[in-house]
Amino acid sequence: MEKNLIHSNELHFIDKKRIHRAVEQLVESLELAAGSTTGFNLYAVVESYFTDLDKRREINRLLHLEQDICEEVEEELGVYEM
């Protein structure tokens, strides 16, 4: 059975419920007490990274990561415009 992989120019297609389930698994596997507390919300960070191009750029800039060429393509295609 072939698996359909999501590429970086399709991140916004990931269902938010799936993102939250994945974060729950991460929290459990790292044995964290919680994924969100006052001043820290791993769920919001991960969801924003996958669904909001501007937030992804901001996070990447904070982490000193180079801009992905896929972000430029997404912007040109107006992927996030409603």
Side-chain angles (χ1 to χ4, degrees), residues 9 72-81:
N9 64 331
E72 294 173 11
V73 171
E74 289 173 342
E75 187 174 62
E76 288 177 24
L77 295 174
V79 170
Y80 291 94
E81 294 177 7

Side-chain angles (χ1 to χ4, degrees), residues 7-71:
H7 300 281
S8 62
N9 64 331
E10 302 170 321
L11 295 176
H12 59 284
F13 290 130
I14 301 173
D15 181 65
K16 291 180 181 181
K17 289 179 184 176
R18 287 185 64 202
I19 293 170
H20 283 249
R21 281 195 306 267
V23 172
E24 284 176 13
Q25 292 174 343
L26 174 66
V27 168
E28 287 177 18
S29 68
L30 294 176
E31 299 177 355
L32 299 176
S36 65
T37 59
T38 303
F40 176 77
N41 189 332
L42 188 57
Y43 296 92
V45 171
V46 175
E47 180 181 315
S48 293
Y49 190 83
F50 283 115
T51 62
D52 186 321
L53 180 59
D54 292 328
K55 295 288 185 189
R56 185 179 328 146
R57 285 186 178 144
E58 188 175 340
I59 292 166
N60 285 346
R61 192 170 37 255
L62 289 170
L63 298 173
H64 304 287
L65 301 174
E66 293 182 25
Q67 183 174 353
D68 189 344
I69 190 70
C70 291
E71 289 179 358

